[in-house]
Amino acid sequence: MATEITIDTGTNELLCAIRDRVAIITLNRPEARNSLSDHLTPALRTMIRTCGENPDVGVLLITGAGTAFCSGGDVKGMGANRDKKKQDMSYDEKVADLQERQRLLTGALVSVRKPTIAALPGPAAGAGLAIAMACDIRIAAESAFVSTGYLRVGLSGDYGIAWLLTRLVGTARARELMFTADKVDAARCERIGLFNRVVPDAKLQEEAFAVAKSMAEGPTIALRYMKDNLDEALTFDFATARDHEAERLIRTTMTADHREAVQAFIEKRKAVFKGK
């Protein structure tokens, strides 16, 4: 049985453990549907960076405790309980502050050069949905649902939600989901490409971890280059993306992992990759 290493996140509101090269990051405010807070959010930013840079981690798996993934920002904190320091900031200071917080959360998550998976045991809304969409893959329980949510609190969106949503489901559906803030059930999320797969509630963590473990056992250099290729497919023209893809393929032919994969194929055994 694999050894699990517990990582100190600095708060009980976020848990992190590494098992079989998978960093399992758990938002742990089930009583508040894992909404973001002044303790959870900074810890999450730190864990994304730390696990993204850790050579002993092959995949990041982000999930939520209890029956929710993340309900987004703490709506109660948007009213009379607002942070006095932030209230006193100028408009430009508030913009710069939010831009930096976004860069270090969904921005950092998109930038991780390892596979990232969101496992949704329940709803994801607002910034919580943005976090899920910033991951490469989303696996959801049958009872999960999503809502952009911003319309309901008179806000326009943050953490890159419009960009992420448009690229996952297309502009027409993204506009519908932003302008209505409707709840979208797991089955429809899978149909429109927002979820990669939907599984029975009781099987979510087991199946999500199995997918993560399989990827974590893979050739890390090749996976990193795959992410580069896939990212460029969204922004580069075909000729440029194709040429960069060729460069990366030649680099991977020079790796020990490639040689191991070929030898394992010849010997009809499972390859053991070492990230070299």
Side-chain angles (χ1 to χ4, degrees), residues 10-88:
T11 174
N12 290 331
E13 293 185 2
L14 188 77
L15 309 177
C16 183
I18 299 172
R19 185 168 80 249
D20 290 327
R21 290 181 48 77
V22 177
I24 307 164
I25 302 171
T26 305
L27 283 60
N28 190 40
R29 297 185 73 213
E31 73 288 349
R33 296 193 304 170
N34 300 318
S35 61
L36 301 176
S37 76
D38 291 340
H39 298 294
L40 189 157
T41 314
L44 179 57
R45 293 189 184 102
T46 299
M47 284 302 103
I48 290 169
R49 185 187 71 248
T50 300
C51 294
E53 295 172 353
N54 187 343
D56 294 327
V57 170
V59 172
L60 276 64
L61 174 61
I62 301 178
T63 191
T67 57
F69 177 73
C70 176
S71 60
D74 185 353
V75 177
K76 291 180 181 178
M78 297 175 187
N81 297 320
R82 281 180 175 171
D83 187 327
K84 184 67 168 61
K85 288 182 180 178
K86 290 185 178 178
Q87 280 184 302
D88 292 340

